[in-house]
Amino acid sequence: MSSYTYQTIFEAIGNFKSNRDTDLSAKTISEYKKKFTRINEIEPEIINKLIEAQSDKKIVNSIINKVKGSFKNSKDYFSVISKIINSVEGLKLQISPYIKSRVNQVVKEEVVKNVEDVDERVQFEPVKIQWLDYVRFVDKISKDETVPLKVRIMFSLYKEYTLRDDFGNVLIVSSDPDDNNINYYDKSTRVLHLNRYKTLEKFGRKKYKIPTYIADMIDQSNSKYIIGVSPTKTYAGGNLSTPFKAAMKKYYGSIISINDLRHSIITFYNDTKSIKKQKQLAEIMLHSYHTQSDVYKRRS
């Protein structure tokens, strides 16, 4: 069984590749090394200790919990551990499935926690746009052919389904793809399948029936993705936050974020709709009703 010292792993990090097998930037490599150094300060020789103790779940969990409790945002550090396990030559075969699952579990738990923390930070913020104003704005602009099609699709999707930043990496297909772990829109059924998003572990896979007027625009786009920087390419990382705010600034006249929209529609529902309708909205938006009623509601 191989031994993986701090220096061995530190040097190996310099050769890590992205998930697409491309070189990582010098900045990313540096961040990986800094985080691994901090992990090693908390738990020296952590990889060797996990290998040696992998048949003893109590010791494994003690190591994991020690690291987890040492950092405010432990997801970033466990993502580094996961990258090390999957990238250092020969290591993946020496790490038990239990350890891999525990590392991945921490990452997923922290993602959900971070999303909820973002929700909580908006609880005292004023509503930047009234929901009915946004609806009227989209109803008008969706018919304006002088506005780029991808912008009209983006605005319209957030009117119908005010998700988080989840529309930016949705592949357009004509039948179910071989890989069902991707987000895709089936043109034949006009259903959007959301299989990868931040709170997947909490809410599971989701399907959204796309209204005809949006489906018709998507059909006209002849694009590979439902919303992209070009017909064949997504925005960087599949993120729409920046292009959404830029488009709102240009066409609405104010910088409005996706989170601002979520705040707006939830406030509107909390003020005007029944609890049943509020719960239905919470399910669509992929967060709990408790979060919706206690966090997003406008405070007087």
Side-chain angles (χ1 to χ4, degrees):
M1 185 175 292
S2 301
S3 177
Y4 297 91
T5 64
Y6 164 80
Q7 192 60 36
T8 301
I9 295 173
F10 190 83
E11 292 174 357
I13 290 174
N15 297 315
F16 281 2
K17 302 286 186 180
S18 72
N19 292 335
R20 297 181 180 179
D21 200 33
T22 57
D23 290 336
L24 294 174
S25 68
K27 181 179 180 180
T28 300
I29 292 293
S30 176
E31 285 301 314
Y32 274 128
K33 287 182 175 181
K34 287 178 183 178
K35 286 183 170 59
F36 177 62
T37 297
R38 293 196 64 194
I39 292 169
N40 193 72
E41 290 170 353
I42 300 299
E43 188 64 77
E45 303 295 332
I46 182 173
I47 299 299
N48 286 331
K49 289 178 179 178
L50 287 173
I51 292 174
E52 292 169 3
Q54 58 190 329
S55 60
D56 191 325
K57 293 182 179 180
K58 184 176 180 179
I59 295 178
V60 168
N61 284 317
S62 175
I63 294 171
I64 288 176
N65 288 334
K66 182 178 180 182
V67 175
K68 182 180 178 182
S70 298
F71 303 107
K72 183 177 180 180
N73 186 4
S74 61
K75 176 187 77 69
D76 292 345
Y77 293 88
F78 278 87
S79 293
V80 171
I81 294 173
S82 178
K83 186 73 172 177
I84 289 169
I85 291 172
N86 289 302
S87 301
V88 174
E89 185 176 358
L91 179 55
K92 193 173 183 179
L93 297 175
Q94 296 191 57
I95 294 289
S96 70
Y98 177 74
I99 293 175
K100 295 173 190 173
S101 69
R102 283 291 290 118
V103 170
N104 290 334
Q105 181 184 8
V106 172
V107 173
K108 291 172 182 176
E109 287 174 350
E110 288 296 310
V111 166
V112 172
K113 179 178 179 294
N114 289 346
V115 168
E116 291 174 346
D117 286 346
V118 170
D119 288 346
E120 289 181 3
R121 286 199 296 271
V122 303
Q123 63 178 317
F124 295 111
E125 294 178 359
V127 175
K128 293 183 179 179
I129 181 171
Q130 296 299 318
W131 180 248
L132 293 183
D133 289 342
Y134 181 72
V135 170
R136 286 189 284 266
F137 161 71
V138 175
D139 287 346
K140 180 179 179 180
I141 207 169
S142 63
K143 301 178 181 68
D144 187 348
E145 295 186 358
T146 65
V147 177
L149 197 55
K150 66 181 181 182
V151 172
R152 287 183 276 149
I153 291 171
M154 178 171 64
F155 286 160
S156 298
L157 282 170
Y158 277 104
K159 170 195 162 188
E160 300 295 336
Y161 300 114
T162 318
L163 303 177
R164 292 187 174 87
D165 191 350
D166 295 317
F167 290 122
N169 196 13
V170 178
L171 186 69
I172 298 175
V173 300
S174 298
S175 60
D176 288 343
D178 293 332
D179 184 358
N180 64 357
N181 289 315
I182 63 172
N183 296 332
Y184 66 94
Y185 168 72
D186 189 336
K187 293 175 66 174
S188 64
T189 61
R190 296 189 161 182
V191 172
L192 188 151
H193 298 251
L194 202 60
N195 298 316
R196 295 184 66 180
Y197 62 95
K198 287 184 177 180
T199 50
L200 173 66
E201 295 299 309
K202 189 170 184 178
F203 298 104
R205 297 169 186 260
K206 293 291 183 179
K207 296 179 182 181
Y208 298 95
K209 184 68 175 179
I210 300 302
T212 299
Y213 80 99
I214 301 179
D216 288 344
M217 286 193 287
I218 294 172
D219 288 343
Q220 294 173 34
S221 69
N222 294 318
S223 296
K224 182 177 179 181
Y225 295 95
I226 199 167
I227 304 171
V229 67
S230 73
T232 60
K233 185 179 179 181
T234 65
Y235 286 94
N239 297 321
L240 294 181
S241 295
T242 297
F244 184 88
K245 286 190 288 188
M248 285 296 289
K249 172 64 174 176
K250 181 174 182 178
Y251 296 105
Y252 185 75
S254 299
I255 298 176
I256 303 295
S257 70
I258 293 170
N259 271 343
D260 291 333
L261 274 193
R262 290 171 64 82
H263 189 187
S264 176
I265 189 173
I266 292 169
T267 298
F268 175 70
Y269 266 64
N270 284 349
D271 289 346
T272 64
K273 303 292 184 180
S274 66
I275 290 177
K276 180 180 179 181
K277 290 289 186 181
Q278 292 175 39
K279 288 182 177 179
Q280 290 172 344
L281 178 67
E283 183 175 351
I284 290 171
M285 295 178 69
L286 304 175
H287 62 213
S288 68
Y289 171 66
H290 170 79
T291 297
Q292 177 165 306
S293 59
D294 286 356
V295 173
Y296 279 96
K297 187 173 184 179
R298 182 172 58 222
R299 309 304 170 102
S300 55

